[in-house]
């Protein structure tokens, strides 16, 4: 019996489709102005209708057109939401880019100041500072590389760091 009901419902939907598909397509085209988009909406409309138990030939036309209208409203709301989201995302990216540029300029300024201060350091101290803070080498690695005592390298690192901090605090 359930199979008979399903086949009757399938035949009913097919009959309704044949009766109203052309009118619905024109209605959806008036909204989308795109044949493929209208066809997609038409098929989505009938997929929704297939799931309804209240479909009959007498009320099908109004049900289809009301459902089509709601689909168009939902689509318009979705498009408006997407436009607003894209607008907000673009504004956020512009704000981030501006912040990013400012940070990059600050970093470049600090780098120039740091380079100027390193030029006035004793050669070994500047070399230790470069290896430690720019190349991220450990005190042990620097000691091996420069053939120095590790404690001496640690002293250079401590003094250079302290000197650089004081200098940057003054100039900034």
């Amino acid at each position: 019996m359930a199979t008979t009901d399903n086949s009757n419902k399938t035949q009913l939907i097919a009959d309704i489709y044949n009766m109203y598909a052309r009118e619905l397509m024109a209605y959806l085209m008036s909204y989308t102005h795109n044949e493929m988009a209208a066809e997609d909406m038409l098929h989505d409309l009938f997929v929704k209708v297939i799931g309804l138990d209240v479909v009959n030939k007498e009320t099908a036309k109004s049900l289809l057109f009301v459902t089509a209208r709601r689909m168009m409203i939902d689509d318009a709301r979705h498009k408006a939401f997407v436009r607003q989201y894209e607008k907000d995302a673009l504004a956020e990216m512009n704000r981030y880019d501006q912040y990013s540029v400012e940070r990059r300029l600050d970093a470049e300024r600090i780098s120039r100041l740091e380079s100027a201060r390193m030029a006035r350091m004793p050669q070994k101290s500047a070399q230790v500072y470069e290896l430690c803070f720019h190349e991220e080498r450990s005190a042990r690695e620097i000691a091996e590389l420069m053939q120095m005592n590790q404690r001496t390298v640690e002293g250079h690192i401590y003094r250079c760091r302290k000197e650089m901090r004081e200098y940057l605090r003054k100039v900034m």
Side-chain angles (χ1 to χ4, degrees):
M1 181 156 177
T3 308
T4 307
D5 288 344
N6 283 343
S7 63
N8 287 343
K9 186 172 182 178
T10 304
Q11 186 57 48
L12 174 66
I13 298 297
D15 291 343
I16 292 171
Y17 183 86
N18 291 330
M19 284 191 290
Y20 301 116
R22 209 173 281 143
E23 279 182 78
L24 285 164
M25 184 69 172
Y27 184 59
L28 294 168
M29 280 286 294
S30 70
Y31 168 72
T32 63
H33 305 289
N34 180 317
E35 189 174 347
M36 291 178 71
E39 196 172 292
D40 287 345
M41 287 181 84
L42 179 66
H43 292 153
D44 289 345
L45 172 64
F46 274 92
V47 167
K48 285 182 181 186
V49 169
I50 286 172
L52 299 176
D53 291 330
V54 294
V55 180
N56 61 51
K57 282 189 179 183
E58 294 80 35
T59 60
K61 185 174 183 176
S62 58
L63 174 69
L64 290 168
F65 279 90
V66 166
T67 305
R69 179 71 180 148
R70 288 182 180 159
M71 287 175 68
M72 290 187 286
I73 291 169
D74 289 347
D75 187 63
R77 286 181 179 155
H78 175 73
K79 287 178 180 173
F81 175 80
V82 168
R83 278 193 303 274
Q84 186 62 45
Y85 179 82
E86 287 172 347
K87 182 181 171 186
D88 293 346
L90 186 60
E92 186 66 23
M93 284 191 307
N94 287 338
R95 196 173 82 214
Y96 177 76
D97 285 347
Q98 180 182 7
Y99 177 71
S100 174
V101 168
E102 289 173 6
R103 287 189 59 153
R104 197 170 346 141
L105 291 173
D106 286 346
E108 288 172 8
R109 179 175 176 239
I110 290 169
S111 181
R112 281 193 310 272
L113 291 169
E114 183 184 44
S115 294
R117 185 64 186 143
M118 282 175 57
R120 288 186 270 148
M121 286 181 182
Q123 185 179 6
K124 279 198 188 242
S125 293
Q127 207 172 6
V128 167
Y129 186 87
E130 175 72 27
L131 291 169
C132 181
F133 296 104
H134 292 198
E135 295 184 23
E136 299 179 3
R137 296 189 183 225
S138 68
R140 188 176 49 78
E141 291 173 319
I142 296 169
E144 289 173 7
L145 188 67
M146 295 182 67
Q147 297 177 350
M148 296 172 64
N149 183 310
Q150 185 173 336
R151 293 304 242 165
T152 304
V153 170
E154 289 169 356
H156 278 288
I157 292 171
Y158 174 78
R159 283 188 301 281
C160 291
R161 178 184 293 158
K162 183 178 176 185
E163 187 178 321
M164 189 62 74
R165 282 184 184 158
E166 289 172 4
Y167 172 72
L168 290 175
R169 268 193 211 110
K170 285 180 191 175
V171 296
M172 292 181 80

